[in-house]
Amino acid sequence: MKKFRQQFPLLGSSNPSATRHDQEKSVPGVNHAFVYFDNGATTQKPNCVIDSHQTFYQEYNANVHRASHALSAKATSAFEQARADVKDFINAKSSKEIIWTKGATESINLIANTLGHQILSPGDEIIIAVSEHHANIVPWQLLAKQTAAIIKVLTLDEDGRIDLANFERLINDKTKIVCCGHVSNVLGKVNPIEAIIAKAKAVGAVTIIDGAQAVAHFPVDVQALDCDFYLFSAHKMYGPTGVGVLYGKQVLLDAMPPYQLGGEMIKKVSFNQPTTFNVLPFKFEAGTPNIAGVIAFAQAIKFMKQFCHQDIMQYENLLIQHCYRALAQISQIKFVVRDVPDIPVLAFTVEGHHNQDIASALDSFGIAIRSGHHCAMPLMEYLSLSGCLRVSMAPYNTIEEIDYFITCLEKIIMASDSHLTVNGVTAKQHLQQSSALNSNDIIKQFAHLTGWHNRHREIMLLSKKLPRLASHDRHEQSLIHGCESLAWLVSRQDKQAIFYFQADSDARIIRGLLVIVLAAFNGKTAEQIQTFDIEEYFDKLGLMQQLSPSRGNGVLAIVEKIKALSL
Ligand code: PLP
């Protein structure tokens, strides 16, 4: 798959984060600055997709469908050709069945807000699986509330696929909608959607398949599946963000009311007669679409077509088998479900380690993986997990990258605190250093550190300085919402109206960050706390790239809670 990888500039040696991890430069076959294992969230983009945007804006930028000039004709023709390319890609019958949306999320919302309201009566049932992405849960929850319909939730078998026996027990004459993920974004297992579609049809239910995690990995034929709707996002298959597809059978789309209203989706607008709507597919495409994105998406499809599906599937299988086997050798690794996934998406936890700590430590080695609930909180609840780690790969990933990842993961698991040193200072020595740090001490401490790897180590060492909070101080009121891990904060104020904070977290990385943040706020008045510039502080520490407080990560939640308490 060398030819595949070569077309992704971000994965090449010119990658801007090439200096992030200076210490592991000599493992052959790996770009040490950057191993991207977060493809389930979004894939990287090949040159043709990147170039397509530039060509469009430089050479034929115009709005589509509306104008009679040549530029618009050229843009319209490329835009509609992209629709035809998607039609061929999933083997739909007609281009009229391909609706452009912003992404898989909007596609589901479109169906829920149109067909959902049209066909549901109180007491009717919607079936979804416990493993669905939030995008395929929340729209149905709101719809059920609005229509007094009932949601029935499918459980999984031990391998992590939808349990067909359970489905057979749930489905009945009241089932009006069955909406399942083709592949779980956490478990990487292909669901038995052919059987689900056939059984749903037998009771007259509408079938909707969320293919967001499928289309990049294996061929999809909507006519062979015979589902009513199939949807996905371009950005998970090498295309741009902000473009999605809703495939629907023409007869159903024709009968559905429009979703959003405005320009483009109308036939005639009048104050004297009823406004009439456009034909398919335009009836569902109000306003100016993401023209450059749609055209670039066609390039992504063209790019994928250069490679034989069989070769891609074979190579991805090689990657996943290799990764699964290597992880299985590490005794602390606990797979979320049993057996090798069907696509290269693998979920696991590391016994004795917080997921966020593992993910941030891997990031310090230049390896991007995911930790958390992966927008599948009900699945986490079902599996009795607070979250997990997810490695998701693409054909541009390599066996060498997996080996490097495994080596780094083993190092992280093995490293006991006494082995952690920063510029020759052990954790123990570190602990003996002053315990009452202020922001200037922290800034001095970070001043000599170069690279995220060393700064990350320093944060982990600082975590040792945080006294643990008593269990009676860990309650709902002290909980910091917005942190990926659990974190608590309590405050007290002395007679001079000076604030003192104590905090704790179950993740070491957050405990280290709490030391940094508390050093800035402890011993200050409310006014000093309110006016303290946290962004400038993080900038001075060299942490803005990874931990910018404005990014809505745990740091922001901690700072906001401190500020709220001081009011
Ligand atoms: N469905 C699944 C299975 C997904 O994995 C995702 C995104 O991760 C979505 C839906 C939502 O996709 P988007 O955010 O592109 O709308």
Side-chain angles (χ1 to χ4, degrees), residues 37-52:
F37 282 168
D38 195 17
N39 294 286
T42 196
T43 56
Q44 298 304 335
K45 314 304 169 206
N47 283 316
C48 59
V49 169
I50 300 166
D51 295 346
S52 170

Side-chain angles (χ1 to χ4, degrees), residues 443-490:
I443 291 167
K444 254 188 248 154
Q445 219 159 303
F446 274 73
H448 63 280
L449 299 176
T450 52
W452 168 230
H453 190 72
N454 286 326
R455 292 188 184 105
H456 175 266
R457 281 183 154 213
E458 185 71 19
I459 297 170
M460 297 310 263
L461 287 170
L462 281 176
S463 71
K464 301 290 289 176
K465 295 193 174 208
L466 194 74
R468 305 308 300 263
L469 210 54
S471 58
H472 58 80
D473 277 329
R474 299 166 180 223
H475 43 69
E476 181 53 34
Q477 279 95 330
S478 64
L479 197 63
I480 303 174
H481 293 280
C483 266
E484 190 183 315
S485 48
L486 290 172
W488 302 267
L489 180 82
V490 290

Side-chain angles (χ1 to χ4, degrees), residues 71-91:
L71 219 51
S72 174
K74 187 169 176 189
T76 302
S77 145
F79 184 81
E80 288 307 320
Q81 181 57 47
R83 200 188 301 271
D85 292 344
V86 169
K87 175 208 122 208
D88 292 343
F89 182 69
I90 58 169
N91 193 31

